[in-house]
Amino acid sequence: MKKKHIQTWLKQHAHAFFFSLGQYIKNPINNILTTIVIGISLAFPAGFYVFLNNIQILSSGWDNTIEINIFLDEEINEHQATIFADRLLKRDDVAKTILIKKDEALNEYKKLSGFSDVLAVLDDNPFPNVILLKPVFKNIDEYKTKKLIDELKAMPEIDNLQFDNKWIKRLVHIIDIVKLVILILSALLAVAVLLIVGNTIRLSIFNYRDEIEITKLFGGTDNFIQRPFLYSGMWYGVFGGVIAWFLVAASVQILIEPIKNLSNLYSGDFQLVGLGVKNTFYLFGSGVFLGLLGSWVSVKRHLYVIELN
């Protein structure tokens, strides 16, 4: 008996599945236009996510360019400076240290400044030993950077240090703002998709109102009646996801070559990244979910109205 119920349930779903698909194909122009609007609504947040993801990938590469210039105390000789640089390198948050000895710094300055004759008359070398330190950060992290700077300032061997982290703060705040904008935009466009699907299903229910009323008179349940409409909402979500994926993929393909040329000008090898398999799955899943939810809300509401009448 249980097996028979399962077979009946599967047949009903199969019938609703293909019936809803047939209804979609039967009225292609209106349905395609509706699907295009849904696809554009899904493509906008997906495209902004791709943009943000590429910015984060690019910024993770900038972490390796962060350098802290450490000026050691004048009393620290070259041997002590070498030992101190090796000690810094053993820290978990330090990736690399480069010791620039005071004589090397003086010679470099003579070459670059053009004041070699003036500097030659000095009795003592005014330059301290300098260590260029590169920290280890998987992502630009303002908290970790500040913590490292504070710990370095507290070391007695260090007289002064230079580190311009304003651009990091700006980038972090810009990325946070972009994330918030994407979240707000996604929420607004999700509501738009729900309204579009709900209104489309409402019109479909209006066209089949007489059949629905007759079906209810003969004992048809709400689940039986709403099933084809739910599948219709699913098809809008699926095809809308296809259009959104195509729009995002086409945009990425158009931008690949210009981005590559720009990267080459800065001696980089950055490659634009698209949605990928996981995010494509999320895109289609979001489309199907919004399509089902929009149709479910619309069907429940209008079946309730029909019931009252």
Side-chain angles (χ1 to χ4, degrees), residues 78-95:
E78 293 182 0
H79 178 68
Q80 292 171 327
T82 302
I83 295 174
F84 182 65
D86 293 337
R87 180 152 61 90
L88 289 177
L89 188 58
K90 293 178 181 179
R91 291 175 57 100
D92 294 335
D93 51 2
V94 175

Side-chain angles (χ1 to χ4, degrees), residues 24 31-42 239-240 243 247:
Y24 185 93
N31 288 330
I32 289 175
L33 291 176
T34 301
T35 307
I36 290 174
V37 175
I38 294 172
I40 294 173
S41 300
L42 294 173
F239 294 133
I243 292 174
L247 291 174

Side-chain angles (χ1 to χ4, degrees), residues 182-197:
I182 292 174
L183 182 62
I184 295 172
L185 181 65
S186 299
L188 293 175
L189 291 174
V191 173
V193 171
L194 291 175
L195 293 175
I196 293 168
V197 173

Side-chain angles (χ1 to χ4, degrees), residues 7-297:
Q7 290 177 343
T8 302
W9 182 83
L10 290 174
K11 287 180 180 178
Q12 290 175 348
H13 274 273
H15 177 267
F17 180 88
F18 289 107
F19 175 78
S20 60
L21 180 60
Q23 292 300 309
Y24 185 93
I25 298 173
K26 187 177 178 180
N27 189 15
I29 296 178
N30 291 335
N31 288 330
I32 289 175
L33 291 176
T34 301
T35 307
I36 290 174
V37 175
I38 294 172
I40 294 173
S41 300
L42 294 173
F44 270 105
F48 274 110
Y49 174 81
V50 170
F51 168 76
L52 177 62
N53 187 41
N54 280 277
I55 290 294
Q56 289 177 323
I57 292 173
L58 183 61
S59 65
S60 66
W62 292 341
D63 293 338
N64 297 325
T65 66
I66 298 174
E67 284 188 351
I68 301 173
N69 299 322
I70 300 174
F71 300 93
L72 300 182
D73 190 274
E74 293 182 358
E75 301 298 326
I76 303 294
N77 58 40
E78 293 182 0
H79 178 68
Q80 292 171 327
T82 302
I83 295 174
F84 182 65
D86 293 337
R87 180 152 61 90
L88 289 177
L89 188 58
K90 293 178 181 179
R91 291 175 57 100
D92 294 335
D93 51 2
V94 175
K96 187 177 181 180
T97 57
I98 301 174
L99 174 62
I100 301 177
K101 299 176 182 179
K102 57 171 62 180
D103 292 337
E104 296 174 354
L106 179 60
N107 292 332
E108 186 70 19
Y109 185 75
K110 286 180 179 180
K111 293 178 183 178
L112 297 177
S113 65
F115 296 107
S116 58
D117 295 336
V118 177
L119 294 171
V121 302
L122 296 175
D123 295 331
D124 298 321
N125 186 346
F127 290 90
N129 294 301
V130 180
I131 296 176
L132 300 182
L133 184 146
K134 291 188 177 183
V136 176
F137 302 126
K138 291 183 179 179
N139 295 297
I140 292 176
D141 193 313
E142 185 178 351
Y143 171 77
K144 290 181 180 180
T145 303
K146 185 178 182 302
K147 182 174 180 291
L148 176 60
I149 293 293
D150 291 340
E151 291 178 1
L152 290 174
K153 286 181 177 179
M155 295 180 179
E157 295 87 352
I158 298 176
D159 180 54
N160 192 15
L161 57 84
Q162 290 182 351
F163 174 64
D164 183 12
N165 62 345
K166 289 183 180 179
W167 69 275
I168 296 179
K169 292 181 180 179
R170 293 188 188 115
L171 181 61
V172 169
H173 291 312
I174 289 172
I175 290 176
D176 289 340
I177 291 172
V178 172
K179 286 181 180 178
L180 186 59
V181 169
I182 292 174
L183 182 62
I184 295 172
L185 181 65
S186 299
L188 293 175
L189 291 174
V191 173
V193 171
L194 291 175
L195 293 175
I196 293 168
V197 173
N199 185 63
T200 304
I201 298 300
R202 180 185 67 83
L203 295 175
S204 182
I205 293 173
F206 180 78
N207 292 332
Y208 287 95
R209 183 184 179 98
D210 293 338
E211 295 182 23
I212 292 172
E213 291 178 350
I214 293 172
T215 302
K216 291 184 74 68
L217 288 174
F218 281 91
T221 63
D222 286 347
N223 289 337
F224 176 80
I225 294 171
Q226 73 181 4
R227 195 172 290 131
F229 297 107
L230 292 179
Y231 276 111
S232 294
M234 182 199 73
W235 288 122
Y236 285 119
V238 170
F239 294 133
V242 171
I243 292 174
W245 178 87
F246 176 79
L247 291 174
V248 174
S251 300
V252 170
Q253 288 299 318
I254 292 171
L255 291 172
I256 280 180
E257 194 62 29
I259 294 294
K260 183 179 178 181
N261 294 334
L262 180 62
S263 178
N264 292 335
L265 292 176
Y266 289 93
S267 301
D269 57 351
F270 177 72
Q271 298 289 332
L272 197 63
V273 177
L275 281 172
V277 177
K278 184 175 75 171
N279 294 318
T280 298
F281 175 79
Y282 289 152
L283 175 61
F284 280 92
S286 300
V288 171
F289 172 75
L290 292 173
L292 287 173
L293 181 61
S295 60
W296 181 81
V297 171

